[in-house]
């Protein structure tokens, strides 16, 4: 699964809005939305988003900790 799908799945599992993830990660809502919708595989924002979700980058990229 690519990064964008993993971000969306982790956010949905927490029942977080884009705004909540933005507040937790410091990454703009538009950037998060674009990553999810493009289903990006790489991003310079991935580490910040992972931290915001309480995950390591490796966990987010692999999807290993996702429901």
């Amino acid at each position: 699964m690519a990064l964008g799908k993993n971000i969306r799945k982790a956010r949905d599992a927490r029942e977080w809005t884009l705004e909540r993830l933005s507040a937790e990660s410091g990454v703009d809502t538009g950037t998060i939305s674009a990553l999810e919708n493009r289903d990006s595989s790489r991003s310079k924002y991935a580490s910040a988003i992972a931290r915001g979700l309480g995950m390591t980058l490796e966990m987010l990229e692999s999807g290993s900790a996702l429901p």
Side-chain angles (χ1 to χ4, degrees):
M1 194 179 298
L3 179 64
K5 285 184 182 175
N6 289 347
I7 292 169
R8 180 62 180 260
K9 192 168 185 177
R11 185 172 65 79
D12 286 348
R14 288 162 178 76
E15 298 181 358
W16 285 6
T17 62
L18 285 169
E19 290 78 13
R20 170 78 187 268
L21 180 52
S22 176
E24 296 290 335
S25 67
V27 177
D28 184 72
T29 57
T31 300
I32 297 168
S33 177
L35 287 169
E36 290 181 353
N37 290 320
R38 278 194 312 243
D39 195 24
S40 299
S41 58
R42 300 180 73 209
S43 171
K44 66 180 182 180
Y45 301 103
S47 292
I49 292 170
R51 278 192 305 275
L53 290 164
M55 303 172 76
T56 65
L57 178 58
E58 293 77 21
M59 291 165 64
L60 182 60
E61 288 179 334
S62 71
S64 63
L66 301 175

